[in-house]
Amino acid sequence: MNPGPTTPAFSRRQFLRDGLRLSAVAGAAGLAGAMAGRTQAQTTVWQIDPAKCVRCGNCATKCVLEQSAVKCVHAFDICGYCQLCTGYFEPEPNELTTAAENQQCPTAAIKRTFVEDPYYEYEIDENLCIGCAKCVEGCTRFGNGSLYLQIRHDRCLNCNECAIARTCPGDAFRRVPVTHPYLLKTDTH
Amino acid sequence: MATAPDSPVYRTAVSTAWVAGVFLVVVAGAMLYQRLTANSNDPWKSPQLLELKEQLRASPKDEKIKERIRELDLKFRQRYVRRLALTRTGGWLLLGGSVILVVALATAMETRKVQPLPRPDPTAGDRAQRDRAVARRAVGVAGAAVAVVMVGAAATLRSPPTVGDRGGAGAAAEAAKAAVAPLPPASEFAANWPQFRGPGGSGVATAAEVPLSWNGASGAGVAWKTPVPEPGFNSPIVWGDRIFCSGGTREKRVVMCFDLATGRLRWDRVIEKVPGAPAQAPEISDQTGYAAPTMATDGVRAYAIFATGELAAVNFDGSLAWAKHLGVPKNLYGHATSLAVWQGRVIVQLDQGESGPANSRIMAFDGVSGKQLWEKARSVPGSWSSPIVIEAAGKTQIIALGDPLVTAYAAGDGAEPWRAELPGGEVTPSPAFVGGLVLAVNPHNALLALKPDGAGDVTASHVAWKAEDDVPDVTSPVGNDELVFTVTSDGKLLCFDVKTGARVWMHELKQEVQASPAIAGGRLYLIGSNGVTIVAAVAREFKELARNELGEKIVASPAFVRGKIILRGLENLYCLAGETPKPGTP
Amino acid sequence: MSTPSENSGFSRRRFVERLARGSVVAGAAAVARGALQAAETNPFAYDVGPLAKTDPAWVNWHEVKRWSVGGRAPRRLAFGPGDVLHVAAESQVLRFNREGAALPPLATTGAVTCVAVAGDGTVYASLRDHLEVFAPGGGRSAAWESPGPRTWISSLALGHGGLWAADSGARVILRYDLGGKLLGRIGAREPGRNVPGLVVPSPFLDVKVHPDGLLRVNNPGRHRFEAYTADGECEGTWGAPTAAIKGFCGCCNPIALAVLPDGRMVTCEKGLPRVKVYDAAGELAGVVAGTESFPANMKAGGAPGRGGLDAAVDSAGRVHVLDRVTATVHVFAPGKAGA
Amino acid sequence: MRRLRPSLWLFLLATSGAVAAEHRFPPPEFEAGHKLPITTTPEARALAWQYVDLAVLLGALGLALWLIYRRRSRRGVMWLSIFSLGYFGFYRNGCICAIGTIQNLALGIFDRSYALPLTVLGFFLAPLVVALFGGRAFCAAVCPHGALQDLVLVKPVKVPGWLEHSLGLVPFLFLGAGAAFAATGSAFIICRYDPFVPLFRLSGSMSLIGLGAAFVLVGLFVGRPYCRFLCPYGALLRLAGLVSKWRVRVTPDYCTQCKLCEHACPYGAMREPVAAPTHPEPPARQRRRLAWLLLVLPLAVGGGALVGRQLAPLAARMHPTVALAELYTEHLSSPKKFPPMTPEALSLERAEADPKALLAAAADLRGRFGIASTWFGAWVGLVIVIKLIALSLRPARTDYEPDRGACVACARCFESCPNERVRRGLLPPEALPPRPLPAAPVAMKKA
């Protein structure tokens, strides 16, 4: 092609392009300005509101991690230290021993230790806990609700859209400031 | 530059790629297997383990089962932990293998790379032009495909649920609440006026104190008078502090709710966009109109049916619970049969056709959801009589009249315990249940008193008595444990003995009567079409106790509730709460 | 369209081939996933459904009435003279006559946990840590000193010329004279006197005075109720842990006691909300109401502040049960329903 | 961190006051003096690391620009790709990524209560602004998704033009759908169906891992299948690239028309000079076609909007609240029995607790979806017709040059160019044919 006649076309395109670019930059700047008021310096992380949790078992199965980042945590100062812990034992345990048939945790992640008559302490082994909430339901139904689910931030990948949150029947997941990443129980009786 | 195909670099790269590929397949296969078998091998899902726990529950002392559970539990937990470990390491192994595979493949490709030697293409211009044309076509086709998918997806979803949309949200919520809220007890039904001709549908009010006299012109005894915005021949019903009635024209059908204390129109609800209803309502004769059937309520919702075949349930706050279209009834004058309720169900008698059966049927709908619970075909043509629900012979029966049958249906499932033949012609009066007898009328034949405890065809066996002269043609009979009263549309008032059927007396009212008579506060209320209500004593001789002018034409039957009478004239609704002498004092 | 070189055809075929292969892999993965999702029940369900069913053969009481107390967070019931029902709710003692009509309530200075009424109409209402006394006329006449920092009073009973207060926090029963003087504590663990100690994981310790002159105290952590003399001797225990109807379910039950005129004990449980009657030998004599009577309470569970029941018996021997979740009083009379 | 103090203090004040006023029921007093353990609360990733991410992003973008325009080094770009793949991909698990930020932004614009973290805004804007001036440098070597696909490409196959153009519609449609779902607050589908993030995490659902593996397998032979045929952020950057100030130029001097660069480009982004066809299409026909398309444009947009509106109820089901409301209303009309303690049974319980609020919320969301899906439908119509219009315009090109939008600046073409090889001293200048025409303007100076 002859370059002569194309030159004006070229510059016309150039002009158009410059104009579009300018407006795009202005748009981006405008967007940044508009959103600046709504942005916050601190980022947020996902957490479970224990008051809304319905113990459905989704936390164990829906997390993108092979072993869920949701774990059962134990509020020791709410616990009654019961001998017959309904979080630890099957609903109608055979005996009150640590034998497999009496425990309800599918991965035996609750450790039961004798403190003194008649008190026992229960601790969660987070490497084994899968966040299935079976113990949480037992503890909430009969006991003080000292066992409850929380997202553990040393494991959570903080997905943009939490895969558990979108299927949570209790609508219990929400984003919380990274500076206060846990929603711990502060129950009164 | 290009290495020979069998150079050692190439061979090494290819064999490395093979090894890496096989390695990847093996690792991926192992991981896949672990995942797929997780179902039966995870400690919480293993059917084996669950079964054993079940067994232990049955025999809690069996040490063997316990041992087996402990064994399996340990095994499955170990397997689970191994699976977790394998997933972690397997992931990294896959990653490493992939890197090696890609590097090997890239190396192999590099060694075999042939430097291209492109030549000038004289057809470039044509090719470019052709390519663009093909691309245009392809993009056009792709765009069309996108459009088809979108339209198809939209088409499969033409009918979003009626409840739950913007307008119906409240209604559905109300329905949900109602589903939980128990129905009011029977005593509540007796204290209100829940359907055509009151509780039980036999025109007898439980109220002890009922106004005796009023005057529409002077306003004496009239608590309030309210214009009814929409026309209809149906009678008002009352529950608590609410009066319900319906009205309708070809353009719109409306349910209205008035305040019992003040007469203020609390709300009205247009019944529209009923699924299945024709866009243009059918034409109905003015003689009957669009809203001749009287509504019914179960204390939670009010139900209305229109001559168009639209059946609607409206919550007490005016929101629509549900509505459905039963098909336009083929009725010479227009459908006029009122609704009945029983235990939260709506009973719809839908007789149609001119002579001989034509899809006549009786149905029961669930009041909460509108779901049809049962339906029975009726071999009768159109009728204008309303069904009543009675408790007799230990059963709850629905009594429905038609030509030529009196039929009883079991309220629960629509089974037919008995029927009796009563041929004649067009049936308008409704049955009544008086002194243990079902009173059934065929205007062109007779008034039958039937014992409701028969089975099968009881025409020959269960007729207690029969009256053939001056049979009422429009209004329904009314009575107490002793006497039965009927009135013809030209004003012939008859009194029978309920036990024997013997005529006790007859009186000419000398006025036209369209509204069914009622007994309230121990008195007989006879409302003439001219608006004059004659109050007579329920006695073995005729005695006029009062004669009250309203000054407006009346065809609807009155409602009596807690010392008040609700009357619907052609244009206004009246609440009569006049001087109320103690019963017994004339 | 494509470069007119020899291997372009080959590549295209390969390209299609690869695409097909990729989609097969993706499809297989999707199918495998579908197979995994076939499970319909929740493998992690802590299912008390079968345990929550009450055998109708045991139910030998029937509900005659139910009404809402209208107040927020009601906790305990007590009857006063004339069968006036007193309900501790938030910072009020609500009062109702025999027909359920509300009488003027008494206002306390804080959330009231329990209440007891003397024969002369004096009302003793307890807050978490101290008691307040209302004269028969209704005026607040005294507020008593708090017995200790751990105190969490959850029940009151009048008897032995004084007042008994169940202190869930300190796990003891406090004995007061009617002037508010703390006379002593019973129920603390004393192996030498054969007092096992009260195990109270949550504030549901209850105390009642039995016609036989002994106190009845529930020991929820040990799933039983116990009898004490006024001196603190433990005279007997009844009950065993089991979710079956004969015993006490969960980790800490019973949570409330009431005494029938004939001396039999009425017990309330949480978790599986049910009310039962035990005879003098501690054998189950019948079920007043099973979980079926309290569906909302059943749903709420038994964690403190969420669920729980309380019971009181009127002079006619009818059991009034307070459902804390729905703030409703259910009235039960002996005899099977419909009988 | 210092700036955070006030808000932190406010938060502490608001919560601690309440805590102090509460009295918790005392746990047992242990005679042996056993001390209660403390519930641990592992910290989330510190905020400072977010800024490190942003800094790495900006640094990598700058480095990419330098490598592409100054160094013109494929090797450099490749090593930067490996770094980005390692850092943003395997170290940061593909999250945070610029692709997903489209949704956060869309949600942020329409939901006033949604607080947008600063880093998210940065990740959205930085690559876009760079693209407006320097083309898709982000795609070239910073985006872990692009880097992964770029690195696994071993035997590039040319995708036929018609297929390239047709599939090229998908990213724009995905962009529209992603923004619509995010703006209604219902789903982040761009993140949900991201094929590579599960690979970066070495964990995820089987179907997504399978999808990722499929993309990698296809990517062995088809250059960057995700970037070209799916990536919604790539669609945005493509638009930005079209108007970028500077662009990748293959030749440092003049084009010898050797066509080698066309062979070197695995992404079909190289455009040949426009040659006159021997049988040119009559200009009148071209003009008529263009006129028709311009006429169809508003019709397509309007029709799309109409159809889109009809899609609203379907799309609304993506929102958990609407889905629950529908499950609930369905349950009302035909009750279904779910086993106890299943998610379905429990969500129905939640619905039954306050059906009015749920249904009102669902109705409100349906309304929002009505608007969003109308816009989406219009967008679909617009995208398709604009694409047709673009294919009907005759380009003006004298040299081989990369398409401004399609070029991901991978720098492969540079070393294929004989002029570049001369510049690098790999070829003697005499090997080149003589300069055919007066020099065309070159935007970037030679190094």
Side-chain angles (χ1 to χ4, degrees), chain D residues 1-24:
Chain D
M1 288 301 281
R2 194 147 299 237
R3 276 188 299 140
L4 292 176
R5 285 277 162 74
S7 62
L8 192 140
W9 273 112
L10 276 178
F11 187 89
L12 280 179
L13 278 176
T15 50
S16 62
V19 170
E22 283 172 349
H23 293 277
R24 183 175 276 179

Side-chain angles (χ1 to χ4, degrees), chain B residues 131-144:
Chain B
D131 282 359
R132 277 217 310 281
V134 173
R136 268 198 305 274
R137 230 166 288 148
V139 168
V141 168

Side-chain angles (χ1 to χ4, degrees), chain B residues 209-258:
Chain B
E209 295 182 13
V210 180
L212 176 64
S213 54
W214 59 85
N215 189 302
S218 71
V222 179
W224 49 257
K225 170 185 174 187
T226 305
V228 180
E230 299 296 329
F233 292 147
N234 65 84
S235 311
I237 60 169
V238 184
W239 191 283
D241 54 355
R242 291 172 157 83
I243 304 170
F244 298 97
C245 58
S246 63
T249 58
R250 193 167 185 194
E251 286 70 41
K252 63 172 180 178
R253 270 69 60 201
V254 185
V255 171
M256 295 164 279
C257 176
F258 296 88

Side-chain angles (χ1 to χ4, degrees), chain D residues 242-258:
Chain D
L242 282 176
V243 296
S244 68
K245 190 165 176 68
W246 298 289
R247 58 188 301 192
V248 171
R249 288 206 162 260
V250 183
T251 171
D253 200 337
Y254 62 93
C255 180
T256 61
Q257 311 267 345
C258 66

Side-chain angles (χ1 to χ4, degrees), chain A residues 17 21 31 38-40 55 64 74 77 81 116 121 152 159-161 166 169 180 182 185-186 189, chain D residues 22 24-25 31-32 34 36 39-40 42 104 108 116 118 132 188 192 201 203 242-243 350 404:
Chain A
R17 195 169 284 146
R21 180 171 59 254
L31 192 67
R38 220 119 27 92
T39 54
Q40 52 176 28
R55 287 91 60 191
V64 295
H74 195 183
D77 47 358
Y81 283 77
E116 64 185 46
E121 192 163 82
R152 305 302 273 175
C159 297
N160 206 357
E161 182 193 44
R166 71 170 190 255
H180 293 81
Y182 291 90
K185 271 201 175 183
T186 54
H189 297 329
Chain D
E22 283 172 349
R24 183 175 276 179
F25 183 69
E31 287 166 3
H34 174 73
L36 301 190
T39 309
T40 60
N104 302 62
L116 198 68
L118 202 63
L132 280 172
F188 281 6
R192 192 183 297 180
R201 290 174 177 160
S203 162
L242 282 176
V243 296
R350 176 160 65 97
R404 282 170 174 269

